[in-house]
Amino acid sequence: MGLSDWFSSKPAAEPAKPAPKIGKSGKKICCSCPETKKPRDECIVKNGEENCKELIEAHKACLRAEGFSVA
């Protein structure tokens, strides 16, 4: 393989990304559970993550109920 072959070769194709997972409501994880996401986010911004554990856990529970796997 010469230098010209190296420059003219096509880059390796990237593996196909899996389709985004859809929850039971038909929404992706980013759009699921807005009723728990907004209060969680506002609490974290105002009070810090360590002071919002209850809201964080409520949002995780909602996402799990939608069928998502969250830690």
Side-chain angles (χ1 to χ4, degrees):
M1 178 182 220
L3 188 56
S4 62
D5 293 330
W6 187 79
F7 281 110
S8 64
S9 64
K10 294 181 182 177
E14 291 186 32
K17 293 181 182 178
K21 184 167 182 194
I22 304 297
K24 293 177 184 174
S25 65
K27 298 176 182 175
K28 293 186 279 185
I29 193 168
C30 62
C31 301
S32 296
C33 301
E35 67 280 359
T36 57
K37 183 178 182 177
K38 185 175 181 179
R40 177 207 63 174
D41 291 349
E42 289 175 353
C43 181
I44 291 171
V45 169
K46 292 178 184 175
N47 307 309
E49 185 176 337
E50 62 281 352
N51 297 309
C52 302
K53 302 238 183 259
E54 199 171 297
L55 291 171
I56 293 168
E57 290 305 315
H59 186 59
K60 287 180 180 180
C62 181
L63 293 173
R64 287 184 192 112
E66 279 288 316
F68 296 106
S69 176
V70 291

